[in-house]
Amino acid sequence: MARPKSSQHELRRDEILDVAAQCFADRSYAAASMNDIAAACGTSKARLYHYYESKEAILYDLLDRYTQRLLAIIGQVEATAQRRSLDDRAAVHELVRVFLEEYEHSATRHIALLHDTKFLSDTQRDLILDRQRDIVAAVTRFLRRAYPKRMDSRNQTAVTMMLFGMINWTFTWLRPGGPMSYAQFAEEVIGMLERGLDGAAA
């Protein structure tokens, strides 16, 4: 019988993923090597192979965990909305805030999701892309409930992707400690949703 992995083993994998995501962001996935990741982790390549069999395995675990995390956030917001009896618009606002809070602390993972999914095997890529579609579909449901007069079958994809367009690329320009925080930007996005969607429907 195989011995179960310890919590320390999983903690070490988390640390490796943090370092690898930074390496991929700094060097690009294609340019980063297992030697680079091992050096950044302060360990040997042989020790790194104890946790991951290849750079591709690291990338897949990174994106697998991250997309599961984003789906979990959606579930958490739905539960919070029910527990706090939030109306549909307040639920969307909460979703924007929590997504941007996550993005602030997961910028390198988000870069990998947007740039490096193409390097996965076909089966792995399909799974990650399916998760991304599930995320988009869930956000569409939030928006459709919050803005029923504005969202219809003709424009709901465009409106959902407009929202993602506002928040998905913050890692390129929104810096922690800069003139605007992620929390402040979340309120700007919420204000744009309220004024823009209401104004367009008027």
Side-chain angles (χ1 to χ4, degrees):
M1 175 182 286
R3 187 170 60 186
K5 291 185 174 69
S6 68
S7 59
Q8 188 64 34
H9 183 90
E10 284 304 306
L11 179 62
R12 185 59 175 150
R13 287 170 73 95
D14 287 341
E15 293 171 352
I16 291 168
L17 293 178
D18 284 340
V19 171
Q22 189 66 58
C23 285
F24 298 157
D26 290 343
R27 299 169 181 264
S28 83
Y29 173 79
S33 68
M34 289 291 274
N35 276 328
D36 294 327
I37 297 168
C41 287
T43 191
S44 66
K45 187 164 72 168
R47 182 65 176 165
L48 184 59
Y49 278 118
H50 174 71
Y51 293 93
Y52 289 102
E53 64 186 16
S54 65
K55 183 175 71 167
E56 292 78 10
I58 293 175
L59 178 63
Y60 175 66
D61 197 22
L62 178 73
L63 297 182
D64 181 46
R65 293 182 188 217
Y66 186 54
T67 51
Q68 287 191 66
R69 170 64 183 154
L70 295 179
L71 286 170
I73 283 173
I74 292 168
Q76 290 165 8
V77 171
E78 288 177 329
T80 297
Q82 289 186 348
R83 186 174 67 253
R84 293 167 50 190
S85 300
L86 299 180
D87 65 28
D88 291 329
R89 289 197 180 189
V92 168
H93 301 169
E94 182 68 10
L95 186 64
V96 169
R97 292 184 184 107
V98 178
F99 259 132
L100 281 166
E101 181 180 5
E102 177 67 26
Y103 287 179
E104 180 178 7
H105 303 293
S106 302
T108 54
R109 283 169 163 75
H110 202 67
I111 291 169
L113 180 62
L114 294 176
H115 290 166
D116 300 330
T117 304
K118 63 189 175 186
F119 294 110
L120 297 172
S121 70
D122 290 346
T123 300
Q124 292 173 339
R125 184 170 59 251
D126 287 346
L127 187 149
I128 298 302
L129 290 176
D130 282 345
R131 292 241 186 89
Q132 288 181 284
R133 292 185 191 101
D134 289 342
I135 292 164
V136 170
V139 173
T140 299
R141 290 194 297 272
F142 270 82
L143 288 168
R144 197 165 51 230
R145 291 193 298 261
Y147 304 101
K149 293 181 180 179
R150 182 67 177 91
M151 299 282 287
D152 59 39
S153 59
R154 296 167 300 172
N155 67 4
Q156 63 182 15
T157 298
V159 173
T160 302
M161 299 316 294
M162 178 186 71
L163 173 57
F164 278 116
M166 285 192 284
I167 68 175
N168 266 5
W169 298 92
T170 47
F171 67 84
T172 65
W173 64 272
L174 187 56
R175 298 287 183 263
M180 176 176 286
S181 69
Y182 273 75
Q184 289 169 328
F185 180 64
E187 299 309 313
E188 290 293 332
V189 173
I190 290 165
M192 185 71 72
L193 280 175
E194 287 295 305
R195 293 190 296 272
L197 291 175
D198 280 349

